[in-house]
Amino acid sequence: MARESFDKEIQFLRMLVLTSGAYSRQQFAERLGISVHTYDKTIRRLKEIVHTVYQQLPQEQSKEFAETLRFNYYESADPMLLFLYRAKSLKDSETYRLSLLLTAMQQEPMTAMALLDRCNEQMPADLPLPDEKTLRSDLKYLEEVGVIRREAGGRPYRYRLQDDLLQELSYDELIDLYDFADVMSNTQVPSVQGYLLRDMLKKALMQSETESAFITPFLYKYHYPSRILDEAHFHTLLQAIRQRRLVSFLYFSPKTHKSYASKNTNPLFERETSGKQQLLLPVKVVYDHQYGRWYLLGSTAQFGVKKYRMEGITQIEEGEAVSEELFATKQKALEEQIQYSWLIDTGRRVMVRARFYHPENSKSNFVKERVLLQGQWGRITEEDDNSFVYEIEVNGTTEIKPWLRSFGSSCEVLEPSHFRKEMIEEWKEILTYYESF
C-alpha cells in the first residue's frame, strides 16, 4: 500500500479523542474510511512516534501510547496530540540522520565532511547512508529553521547547535520564560509554535542539575485539541493566500459519516469516498474562539464565496497562482459578504435587539464589561439603573445566538420576534431536562 498522508493521523487522533475509545476496531475503520489493517498499521506508527518523542526522558517519565491519548481534564496544559508534529513528514532515515547531526553538533562545531563521516559511522545498517548532497541539504534546512548556525570564518564552514537561549539564561530566567510561553500558547492562536517552544523549555528544565524540582504551575480547562490538529493546514493555507495560489483538497463535511478516505493507487481496489474534491482560491482564515474551530473562506469559479471547516480538509495541494487584480476582486467580494457577519455567516441581514440586566450586589458590572468587550460593532442604545439595551445588525442569528445564550438570565432577546420565540422555545426545552420524574 502507498504511504498514507499526514491527514490520516490527524483524523485518526481527532476521532480517538472525541469518542474516548467507544468504537471497536471495525467501527473505527469504517468511520474513517480505511481498512482494519490500515487501522492497526496506524496504531503501530503512532506508538513508534510516542517512543521517539519520549525516549530522551528518564524511565519514570516515559509514556505509553494509551496513556498519551488518555483524556484527563486536568492535564490539558501538556497537550497529548502535539507529539504528532514531531514526526510530520519525516522518514525513518531522516529521523535518525537529523538526530545524529544535532547530537554531534551539540558537543562542538563541526564541518560538513566531519558530520558526513559521523553519519556513516553511526547510521543503522538497515538504513541508507547519506551522500554529501543530502547532508548539505539537511544542514541548509536546519540553518533556515534556526536549529543550527554557521560559525564565522572561511571555508570549510563549521556548524554548531543554536542553543544560546538555553545556555545563556539562568534557571530562574528559564522558568520565567517557560511560564510566559505556557500561558501564551494555551490562550492565544495559533498555538503550535508556542507549544513547541514551551516543550523545549520544559525538557531543558527537567534535565537541569538544579536541586529544586520543576513543577508545572498552571492547568487549563478551556482547551480544544482540534485547534492544534487543524493548524497542520493553517500555515499551508496562509502561504497560499500570501502567494495568491489556488488550492485543491478533498473535503469531508461535518454532516457526512466519514472523515477520511485512503488514497487508492491500485485501480483494481478503487472505491468511492464520501469526500468531495474542491478547487478554491483561499482568501481568509477565521478562528472561532468560542468553539475552537478554524474556517477557510475563499472563492470558487462555480459558486463564488465558499466556507469550509478546517477539520474536514484532507489531501491539500497548492495549485497555480492567480493575478493580484483577480485576488483583490475576490477579496473585496468576500469582505462585502461577511461585513455584518458575527463570524462567517452570509445569511439575510437582521437587526438584533437584546436587553442585558446589571448584576445585583456586585461592585463590578461584569455583564456590561463583557458586552462592550465582545459585542463587536454593536452599540448600547438605552440604559437605566437595572438594565441596558444592545443593538447590532448581523447576517442571520445563527452565530450570535450562542453568545447571547451564554449570558443566561442576564440577557433577554427583544427583536426580531421570530428570534425571540426561537430562544424561548429553546429555554423551555432546556427546562424539561431538569424536571423531576
Side-chain angles (χ1 to χ4, degrees):
M1 178 181 287
R3 183 188 174 111
E4 299 289 347
S5 69
F6 187 52
D7 296 319
K8 178 182 62 182
E9 284 80 7
I10 291 177
Q11 301 297 341
F12 190 100
L13 287 171
R14 178 183 285 113
M15 190 181 305
L16 197 62
V17 171
L18 294 178
T19 60
S20 301
Y23 288 172
S24 66
R25 290 165 61 245
Q26 183 66 42
Q27 291 171 324
F28 210 106
E30 290 178 355
R31 182 67 176 81
L32 274 170
I34 60 178
S35 66
V36 176
H37 170 74
T38 304
Y39 169 89
D40 293 335
K41 186 175 69 174
T42 306
I43 284 285
R44 290 195 299 270
R45 167 68 173 157
L46 293 176
K47 285 183 177 180
E48 292 171 1
I49 295 173
V50 174
H51 175 72
T52 302
V53 171
Y54 293 106
Q55 64 182 354
Q56 303 95 339
L57 299 179
Q59 182 64 34
E60 65 271 12
Q61 295 169 355
S62 63
K63 299 188 178 183
E64 292 296 328
F65 180 66
E67 182 183 353
T68 303
L69 294 179
R70 177 174 52 85
F71 182 77
N72 188 321
Y73 196 53
Y74 295 99
E75 287 184 356
S76 56
D78 194 11
M80 53 193 165
L81 302 176
L82 184 65
F83 76 89
L84 185 57
Y85 281 80
R86 311 269 195 251
K88 179 182 177 183
S89 302
L90 284 182
K91 300 177 182 177
D92 289 341
S93 59
E94 291 173 322
T95 303
Y96 277 98
R97 191 170 66 246
L98 294 180
S99 299
L100 285 174
L101 292 175
L102 295 176
T103 301
M105 286 181 280
Q106 191 173 11
Q107 306 299 324
E108 59 180 345
M110 298 185 68
T111 64
M113 298 310 297
L115 289 169
L116 181 61
D117 292 339
R118 183 69 63 90
C119 286
N120 290 335
E121 292 171 1
Q122 300 185 10
M123 283 287 285
D126 57 336
L127 294 178
L129 297 177
D131 54 21
E132 183 180 350
K133 182 179 179 181
T134 300
L135 186 131
R136 291 191 182 277
S137 176
D138 290 340
L139 292 176
K140 182 180 178 181
Y141 163 72
L142 292 173
E143 189 176 8
E144 286 177 350
V145 299
V147 177
I148 65 174
R149 75 179 184 191
R150 188 166 55 186
E151 295 275 76
R155 296 176 181 274
Y157 296 121
R158 299 166 69 86
Y159 299 88
R160 65 178 292 265
L161 203 63
Q162 179 78 299
D163 59 352
D164 295 345
L165 177 67
L166 302 179
Q167 298 297 329
E168 296 180 4
L169 295 180
S170 67
Y171 184 81
D172 291 338
E173 288 172 332
L174 282 175
I175 288 181
D176 289 341
L177 181 57
Y178 173 85
D179 290 345
F180 175 79
D182 185 36
V183 171
M184 295 301 288
S185 62
N186 278 284
T187 58
Q188 305 295 317
V189 292
S191 58
V192 168
Q193 303 300 327
Y195 278 124
L196 293 175
L197 172 62
R198 187 191 68 106
D199 194 57
M200 178 192 72
L201 294 169
K202 184 177 182 179
K203 286 183 178 180
L205 289 167
M206 295 176 70
Q207 295 173 357
S208 173
E209 297 178 357
T210 305
E211 293 183 2
S212 58
F214 172 72
I215 301 175
T216 303
F218 304 110
L219 296 173
Y220 301 88
K221 295 183 181 180
Y222 186 78
H223 179 73
Y224 293 100
S226 62
R227 178 175 68 181
I228 299 174
L229 293 175
D230 293 336
E231 281 189 46
H233 295 319
F234 172 75
H235 297 286
T236 302
L237 293 170
L238 186 62
Q239 176 177 304
I241 293 173
R242 288 171 174 168
Q243 297 179 355
R244 312 317 194 207
R245 289 187 176 276
L246 296 168
V247 294
S248 62
F249 52 86
L250 190 65
Y251 183 66
F252 292 84
S253 167
K255 298 178 181 178
T256 62
H257 297 292
K258 281 185 170 57
S259 59
Y260 178 79
S262 58
K263 288 182 176 179
N264 296 291
T265 56
N266 189 332
L268 296 177
F269 295 95
E270 285 185 352
R271 55 182 174 181
E272 293 184 1
T273 67
S274 56
K276 294 184 178 180
Q277 193 68 36
Q278 306 288 331
L279 181 64
L280 179 81
L281 176 62
V283 177
K284 195 180 188 75
V285 175
V286 177
Y287 179 69
D288 180 2
H289 194 274
Q290 186 167 6
Y291 288 107
R293 294 171 180 165
W294 291 89
Y295 292 91
L296 170 63
L297 283 67
S299 180
T300 63
Q302 185 177 2
F303 300 105
V305 173
K306 290 275 288 183
K307 299 167 288 187
Y308 301 90
R309 287 257 289 272
M310 198 89 85
E311 65 197 64
I313 295 177
T314 66
Q315 302 176 26
I316 186 170
E317 295 180 0
E318 288 190 12
E320 61 182 15
V322 302
S323 66
E324 190 67 36
E325 293 77 12
L326 177 60
F327 182 86
T329 301
K330 300 299 184 182
Q331 186 180 41
K332 181 180 178 181
L334 174 64
E335 294 295 344
E336 288 177 351
Q337 287 203 37
I338 65 172
Q339 180 180 359
Y340 292 95
S341 301
W342 183 258
L343 186 67
I344 59 170
D345 199 349
T346 53
R348 183 173 59 87
R349 197 178 306 171
V350 296
M351 175 65 75
V352 173
R353 296 181 72 246
R355 182 178 298 279
F356 290 87
Y357 295 93
H358 300 310
E360 297 180 0
N361 303 321
S362 176
K363 295 180 181 180
S364 173
N365 192 341
F366 55 85
V367 173
K368 185 177 180 180
E369 290 174 358
R370 183 182 166 198
V371 170
L372 292 174
L373 178 66
Q374 302 175 350
Q376 304 200 53
W377 59 92
R379 58 193 181 94
I380 295 175
T381 58
E382 304 172 23
E383 186 171 10
D384 54 34
D385 294 339
N386 298 317
S387 65
F388 62 89
V389 176
Y390 162 84
E391 292 184 356
I392 185 171
E393 192 174 10
V394 289
N395 291 342
T397 58
T398 302
E399 293 177 342
I400 196 175
K401 183 196 295 184
W403 181 72
L404 294 172
R405 194 166 49 198
S406 67
F407 285 89
S409 59
S410 296
C411 175
E412 176 189 3
V413 173
L414 304 176
E415 295 179 4
S417 58
H418 68 84
F419 186 37
R420 177 181 172 86
K421 293 178 181 178
E422 187 178 321
M423 294 289 283
I424 291 173
E425 292 303 317
E426 287 193 5
W427 283 116
K428 286 181 178 179
E429 181 181 353
I430 293 173
L431 178 62
T432 61
Y433 299 157
Y434 295 91
E435 288 181 350
S436 60
F437 291 92

